[in-house]
């Protein structure tokens, strides 16, 4: 059995931003030497998401508008009472989810034809870590 | 360590449809010979979800109505600019999630008493693939 | 390879309630003897969620208000036709997700600085089970 861990550091230009990280995950899978197994990818932060969807900029725009509709940034958050200003970010991350688990097959990340891995940032402009963990044989 | 992979092909009658796939996942677990471990189940498409919930037709009806309320099919999607017509499907899949990871115990899928595995299709009537991956010993 | 399983039983005081279970998961990881791997945590029920977010009571209050806004308890659920009264609970669980998969590193649960594991209960006041499964070497 092989277990391989790697951490990426990201720092987005915008507070709310989306980064395609498929290539970084593919690289980690190669480095692991795992032939057949799975890979876990998660942010180490509670204001961010790892998710899989289409690599199309209109969809990314849709996400921003849709999250704002479901959980507006200016809502009257109880989380703001102790001085926080990012109540929305914890809800946006809830919609998109925390982590993904993906198959590794024949030493490669096994994605469907349109599946791409993204990092969704909802409170960026500072260093954040992404954990990649490959398990298999 | 044992790693076993299997793919299912589905083709739904309706564009939006839900298929119970618990038995297919149970079968794959049996085939794997894994005694103790986990199984990953995910669609290989970005307009579909694998999820676990109640096998009750009223709930399935609720899902359709509720998704339409949260992300209506006719919303003004930026994803439609390059000619797509399924912006909603990427958002519906986001709500339901992409994959599930379930325990395997004593050569069997280990679900709670009411847990059932479903494939949620939001742009069907064509062949789609589901990946099942069993890991353990 | 090591595979270790454990079940927790919880019984919440309120029908809708949130329990921090980070310490229980840390304990299970220690018990497993796994040095490097992953841990899966899921409820064995379809009216509950395991999720990771901030351990801040204002956020928990936000969740309750926000779920009620997205899927009100008194909505006209098709799931109520056969006599059920908890249609909302299946939708709330859908938003929060079913399970989490977390890294285990150096015999410890590997969480980011603010990540805490929670059990979200939407139909409590009765015994419910949480499954913890550690895999690795």
């Amino acid at each position: 059995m092989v277990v391989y861990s790697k951490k990426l550091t990201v720092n987005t230009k915008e507070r709310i931003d989306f980064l395609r990280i498929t290539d970084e995950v593919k690289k980690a899978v190669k480095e692991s030497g795992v032939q057949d197994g799975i890979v876990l990818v998660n942010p180490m932060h509670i204001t961010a998401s790892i998710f899989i969807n289409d690599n199309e900029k209109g969809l990314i725009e849709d996400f921003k508008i849709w999250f704002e509709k479901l959980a507006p940034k200016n809502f009257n958050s109880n989380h703001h009472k102790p001085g926080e200003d990012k109540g929305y970010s914890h809800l946006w991350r809830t919609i998109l989810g925390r982590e993904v688990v993906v198959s590794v097959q024949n030493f490669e990340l096994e994605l469907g034809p349109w599946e791409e891995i993204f990092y969704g940032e909802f409170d960026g402009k500072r260093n954040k870590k992404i954990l990649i963990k490959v398990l298999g044989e």
Side-chain angles (χ1 to χ4, degrees), chain A:
Chain A
M1 186 190 189
V2 179
V3 186
Y4 177 79
S5 293
K6 186 176 186 177
K7 296 207 179 81
L8 307 176
T9 301
V10 292
N11 191 325
T12 58
K13 282 182 208 161
E14 305 295 332
R15 188 176 188 189
I16 294 165
D17 216 342
F18 293 82
L19 306 176
R20 180 183 167 279
I21 60 164
T22 312
D23 296 339
E24 286 81 355
V25 179
K26 282 181 178 173
K27 190 162 173 282
V29 167
K30 281 284 184 192
E31 288 163 7
S32 75
V34 169
Q35 181 174 0
D36 198 4
I38 56 170
V39 55
L40 163 71
V41 190
N42 67 265
M44 300 192 76
H45 305 267
I46 50 181
T47 54
S49 294
I50 301 291
F51 67 98
I52 289 180
N53 218 315
D54 199 6
N55 183 23
E56 196 283 308
K57 68 181 181 181
L59 177 62
I60 299 297
E61 288 309 306
D62 283 354
F63 275 137
K64 292 178 191 169
I65 293 163
W66 186 54
F67 295 157
E68 181 67 28
K69 190 181 138 201
L70 294 186
K73 279 194 260 343
N74 70 355
F75 85 106
N76 184 24
S77 172
N78 291 289
H79 186 53
H80 294 175
K81 287 178 190 167
E84 293 285 353
D85 64 349
K86 52 197 174 200
Y88 74 95
S89 69
H90 300 289
L91 306 187
W92 291 23
R93 142 9 188 277
T94 298
I95 303 168
L96 256 184
R98 172 181 175 265
E99 82 248 357
V100 296
V101 179
V102 185
S103 170
V104 173
Q105 188 77 26
N106 203 17
F107 302 103
E108 302 272 5
L109 187 67
E110 189 179 20
L111 291 171
W114 298 99
E115 287 192 304
E116 296 270 0
I117 307 177
F118 287 90
Y119 172 76
E121 173 65 83
F122 310 124
D123 186 46
K125 293 180 159 183
R126 52 196 177 105
N127 281 357
K128 298 278 193 100
K129 281 192 178 143
I130 298 168
L131 185 153
I132 303 174
K133 189 126 199 173
V134 195
L135 286 94
E137 56 178 10

